[in-house]
Each structure stands twice: as C-alpha cells, then as structure tokens.
Amino acid sequence: MKVRILGSSVGDTSPRQYVSSYLVNETIAVDAGCLGLHGTPREQEGIRHVFLTHSHFDHTATLPIFVENAWTPTGESPRIYGSSETLDAVQRHIFNDVMWPDFVALSRKMHPFLHLCPLDTELPVAVDGLRITPIRVNHVVPTVGYVITDDRNAVIIAGDTGPTERLWEVAHQTAGLRAVFLEACFPNSMKRIAEISLHLTPEMFAREVGKMPPGIKVIVTHIKVRYHDDVVRELHALGPPQMEIGDCEKEYDLSKVVTDRSLTAVSEEPRVA
C-alpha cells in the first residue's frame, strides 16, 4: 500500500498543503481539496474512488473539477464515499446548480458523472484490494477518519480532529498498523483557536500520540501554512517518538515503514463494529 500527500501550491518548488487530498495506490483518494488540480484528466480518470472525511471546503474544494475531469461518455464514473451528512452537504452546497451544475441530477438523465455512496460508521467497504473503514472523530461538523488495510499493512488517515478517543481504540485493535497521518494545525500560542475549531496544536498532538499503539510512525499533516515553521519547531521540541513531518508529493510505501511495534503480536482481526 502506498500513500501520497498531494501538494496544493502552484509554482512552488516545495509544494505546500493548503488544502487536503491523499492518493492511495493511485486509484483511491481521501478528500478532494486539490484532487481536481492533480495531474492530467487521464490521470484523474484512473482515480475511481474518493473518500471524503467531511464537508469543509479545504477537503472538497476541487471535487466538482475532479468529477468533470474524470468523467467520460463511456458510463464509467467515480464513486464518492462519505457519511450521509457529508454527502448531503456536497449535494446541497456544491452540486446545486448555483455553485456548480447539479451533477447528481444530471447523472439520472445520462451516463452518470458520479455515484454517491453513503458510508455507515465502522462498517468497512472493500475497494481495489483494500478495506476502508470510517471512524467518527471529533470535529465541528460530522467527520470521519479512515482505517485502511490490505492483507498485511494498515494505515490511518485521521482527517481533521480535535482530541478524540474512538479512533485510537480502533487503532489498538488493528493488525499490521504501520502509520498514522495526523494533523497539527496551529502553534501552541493559538491553543484557544484550536480548541474552538477542534484542531490540534503540537502539545495536543503529543497527547493524541500517547493514546496510540506504541512505536507507530506518525506523519504530521494539515499544518496551517502561515504557521508551518512555528508548528514544526514546537513539534521537534516535544519530540514524539516515530514522528515525521509530512512531505507533499512524497510516496509513503507502507511495506517499508519501520515501526517499533511487533506486527506479529497482534493476531486478531480489526474490530470495526
């Protein structure tokens, strides 16, 4: 399994993560903040499944552009997954004939532009050889993180969250867990904003790491670009073990991620219900 954080800056030699999209094995995306600006339309056509964590614009901004780019008149169209609340928000506020043509309604009259696929919390779906399970996290709108597993490895993409619990309970039950992608948005001096918006500071991030299985690689994402240097400096001062600052466009090969956790020590299947 391979995961790539998509960069969202233009004309920048060091791509930055202004908005959020992740690409898994080239055919599955998590979030669509910049997905519609990634690569060529033909490359986007190869992305068949998009899993949304929540409705906020930095996670859905280019979804309509992606759908337009990926559509072909052959009848093949991407499947967009999310909670019922997220998919309802996408239809009411994006595909509404005001902000963008109503691709959902148009899909009933012609070769579909997209398929909306509601997810049930903690019920996995199988796509392209992976099992993907949504777990509720703690944010200001209904939001999920995703536990993604193949036959040997697992990764968690936590999405946007403040301090949370259930995701880490599931992490302890997930066999082969090698890495967690977790946000650290604001510097410690902006703790109040983080608390109100249900995001994490470095100090809060370190407490969340303490809830995870020991020895797991934790890749930091969703750092507010304006405060990037401050957040990184504070994270390094705290020095959580196995922490890495996420690099846009770097491919993380889960089979090569080294952890301090014995993968054979966890023999049970992930409990997702």
Side-chain angles (χ1 to χ4, degrees):
M1 193 192 329
K2 297 178 181 180
V3 180
R4 181 149 46 108
I5 306 169
L6 299 186
S8 56
S9 56
V10 177
D12 193 338
T13 56
S14 299
R16 303 176 190 277
Q17 193 185 22
Y18 287 101
V19 294
S20 292
S21 293
Y22 303 82
L23 195 57
V24 183
N25 289 355
E26 302 299 328
T27 65
I28 299 168
V30 175
D31 284 333
C34 59
L35 185 64
L37 307 179
H38 165 71
T40 66
R42 185 166 293 278
E43 288 172 319
Q44 291 184 33
E45 181 187 341
I47 301 169
R48 309 313 303 158
H49 309 275
V50 180
F51 287 79
L52 300 176
T53 59
H54 64 299
S55 59
H56 280 168
F57 198 59
D58 55 332
H59 298 257
T60 60
T62 70
L63 179 63
I65 299 170
F66 163 76
V67 170
E68 183 175 278
N69 286 340
W71 183 82
T72 70
T74 64
E76 294 291 327
S77 58
R79 305 180 75 85
I80 313 301
Y81 304 79
S83 68
S84 58
E85 299 97 331
T86 296
L87 296 186
D88 179 66
V90 163
Q91 187 165 1
R92 286 191 295 116
H93 299 297
I94 298 177
F95 299 117
N96 58 7
D97 280 334
V98 177
M99 298 302 293
W100 199 267
D102 187 347
F103 281 172
V104 179
L106 287 173
S107 294
R108 302 187 187 106
K109 302 174 182 178
M110 56 186 295
H111 291 311
F113 282 89
L114 76 167
H115 300 279
L116 297 182
C117 305
L119 296 174
D120 293 320
T121 304
E122 302 199 21
L123 184 66
V125 296
V127 296
D128 289 358
L130 301 179
R131 185 169 64 173
I132 302 178
T133 306
I135 308 294
R136 290 281 185 178
V137 294
N138 185 26
H139 197 40
V140 294
V141 296
T143 303
V144 298
Y146 289 107
V147 179
I148 306 174
T149 66
D150 60 17
D151 292 336
R152 297 184 60 187
N153 305 306
V155 64
I156 291 175
I157 298 178
D160 284 13
T161 186
T164 197
E165 302 298 333
R166 179 57 182 157
L167 185 62
W168 311 133
E169 292 173 358
V170 173
H172 280 272
Q173 300 159 3
T174 300
L177 181 61
R178 288 184 175 267
V180 173
F181 290 80
L182 178 64
E183 68 145 84
C185 277
F186 295 105
N188 292 324
S189 62
M190 300 179 72
K191 176 183 177 182
R192 183 58 179 155
I193 294 176
E195 291 174 336
I196 293 171
S197 61
L198 289 176
H199 283 294
L200 299 175
T201 65
E203 289 179 348
M204 297 160 74
F205 172 95
R207 287 195 288 272
E208 295 307 294
V209 172
K211 302 174 186 178
M212 299 178 193
I216 299 303
K217 174 72 75 176
V218 184
I219 299 161
V220 188
T221 64
H222 208 306
I223 301 172
K224 295 294 185 183
V225 175
R226 179 175 290 275
Y227 308 110
H228 181 274
D229 292 348
D230 292 336
V231 170
V232 169
R233 182 171 58 253
E234 291 175 354
L235 284 167
H236 283 311
L238 289 167
Q242 295 286 93
M243 182 193 75
E244 177 179 337
I245 306 301
D247 285 339
C248 293
E249 301 303 331
K250 175 179 176 178
E251 186 173 73
Y252 293 86
D253 186 338
L254 271 295
S255 67
K256 298 179 180 178
V257 170
V258 177
T259 73
D260 293 335
R261 187 188 188 198
S262 172
L263 300 181
T264 59
V266 183
S267 58
E268 71 274 13
E269 285 295 307
R271 190 175 68 190
V272 294

